[in-house]
Amino acid sequence: MKATRKFRPGPKWKGLRPVHAAAVSRPRRSELLHALERETSPVIVFIFSRAACDDAAHQCRRDGLMFTTPEERRDIEAIAQSRLVDFSDDDLKALEYADFIDCLRRGLAMHHAGMVPAFREIVEPV
């Protein structure tokens, strides 16, 4: 059976995408997490880069995701403060603690080998 031109790769098809691909777009990470939050919780997303892991949490933060109640936010603050009593304000500023704790308050956390051990202790379950 001889192949027809439309099924053979070649210059005619380079750079073209199927018509249906344009109609479907990939959801933003925050949209996916928001949809999953209604179905199940907690959700763990594996990202294979430290920088991308941090960026993902900060993207969800910028998108306004909030997965915690006011009571849970107070509990998170208390846990974080108890683990960081030996850190100076300058240390916390250098470690971008304000961004880290804001993510945690929202129910977002990153966890990777590049984290300060005290931050990792806050994120890991007891």
Side-chain angles (χ1 to χ4, degrees):
M1 180 162 100
K2 183 177 177 182
T4 64
R5 175 77 180 150
K6 80 178 201 179
F7 295 110
R8 283 186 285 157
K12 180 178 176 185
W13 297 100
K14 283 186 181 174
L16 295 178
R17 294 171 42 190
V19 175
H20 68 278
V24 177
S25 65
R26 196 172 74 196
R28 289 180 57 85
R29 178 180 289 113
S30 55
E31 292 170 336
L32 178 62
L33 291 174
H34 188 67
L36 286 173
E37 188 251 344
R38 290 188 296 257
E39 300 296 323
T40 182
S41 189
V43 173
I44 298 174
V45 177
F46 289 92
I47 299 173
F48 299 99
S49 157
R50 293 176 191 176
C53 180
D54 292 339
D55 289 345
H58 294 301
Q59 176 197 31
C60 290
R61 177 179 160 231
R62 284 189 307 272
D63 287 349
L65 293 182
M66 180 71 73
F67 299 112
T68 57
T69 65
E71 182 179 308
E72 289 169 330
R73 289 191 285 277
R74 285 190 295 276
D75 292 346
I76 290 166
E77 285 264 350
I79 291 168
Q81 288 176 0
S82 72
R83 299 284 199 284
L84 300 172
V85 293
D86 295 331
F87 286 74
S88 70
D89 289 343
D90 289 338
D91 291 338
L92 295 175
K93 185 176 180 181
L95 294 169
E96 298 177 351
Y97 173 72
D99 293 338
F100 173 75
I101 193 65
D102 189 46
C103 283
L104 291 181
R105 283 186 201 115
R106 295 171 172 279
L108 303 167
M110 55 289 267
H111 187 284
H112 54 71
M115 293 177 68
V116 174
F119 281 21
R120 199 169 348 175
E121 290 173 11
I122 295 167
V123 172
E124 291 175 354
V126 182

